[in-house]
Amino acid sequence: LYREVVMDHYKKPRNRGTMTDAAVVVEGANPLCGDEITLWLDIEKDIVKDVRFAGHGCSISQASASIMTSAIKGQPVEEITRIVTAFRGMMLDGAEPDEDLLGDGIALEGVKKFPVRIKCAVLGWNTLLLGLKEFSESGGKPVEASHQE
Ligand code: ZN
């Protein structure tokens, strides 16, 4: 079942595309696997009103980015920080999966069985985290950033 959720996001990615006049444009790369993601965020009054992603790479990296955009769209930045922390905790620290926060994200827990693929799964989420951090530090001015796993 979890595998099906991941394949569904890979074959029918949510929020795929680009955006003009985004508050945040952030690129992420995982050279070990050749995964690349670019994220665009439209942020208004501390709410991520809209999000788009583009990229290429393995099915886990692209499905995970699709799952991440579904989890954060329309959410306040504070809530998004909780969501990303829960995902990173599940993938990196053995925390119990929190379905209320993660939604389809819990489907990626099985990736932990393949340690070399964990970077593929966290790429989109870490890229998002850097974009939000840079935006916060800019005082709300549009930012561009890049992240490498
Ligand atoms: Zn990968």
Side-chain angles (χ1 to χ4, degrees), residues 3-149:
R3 203 184 157 79
E4 279 168 26
V5 171
V6 173
M7 284 317 289
D8 184 62
H9 275 274
Y10 179 59
K11 288 179 182 158
K12 291 180 288 186
R14 321 305 196 259
N15 307 301
R16 195 172 174 94
T18 63
M19 190 193 292
T20 51
D21 301 326
V24 176
V25 183
V26 56
E27 295 178 357
N30 172 24
L32 193 71
C33 183
D35 306 319
E36 289 181 8
I37 300 272
T38 304
L39 280 178
W40 290 265
L41 303 176
D42 176 14
I43 303 175
E44 230 176 274
K45 296 191 174 104
D46 285 329
I47 292 172
V48 173
K49 308 269 279 189
D50 204 1
V51 52
R52 292 282 184 279
F53 85 97
H56 57 87
C58 71
S59 56
I60 291 169
S61 69
Q62 303 302 306
S64 186
S66 169
I67 288 168
M68 179 275 289
T69 62
S70 306
I72 68 159
K73 191 170 172 175
Q75 299 282 354
V77 170
E78 207 183 319
E79 178 72 1
I80 291 172
T81 305
R82 273 195 289 275
I83 293 168
V84 176
T85 301
F87 185 77
R88 287 172 45 85
M90 176 185 81
M91 295 306 298
L92 303 169
D93 300 327
E96 281 295 310
D98 186 333
E99 188 167 8
D100 288 342
L101 277 175
L102 297 177
D104 284 350
I106 62 167
L108 289 156
E109 195 195 15
V111 173
K112 285 195 300 189
K113 279 180 282 184
F114 311 99
V116 296
R117 311 307 298 280
I118 290 175
K119 281 175 187 275
C120 305
V122 298
L123 172 64
W125 304 71
N126 283 343
T127 302
L128 168 71
L129 211 53
L130 177 75
L132 290 176
K133 179 171 164 281
E134 299 271 327
F135 184 68
S136 163
E137 288 172 3
S138 83
K141 290 193 197 71
V143 291
E144 291 183 20
S146 65
H147 163 79
Q148 188 165 313
E149 287 296 327

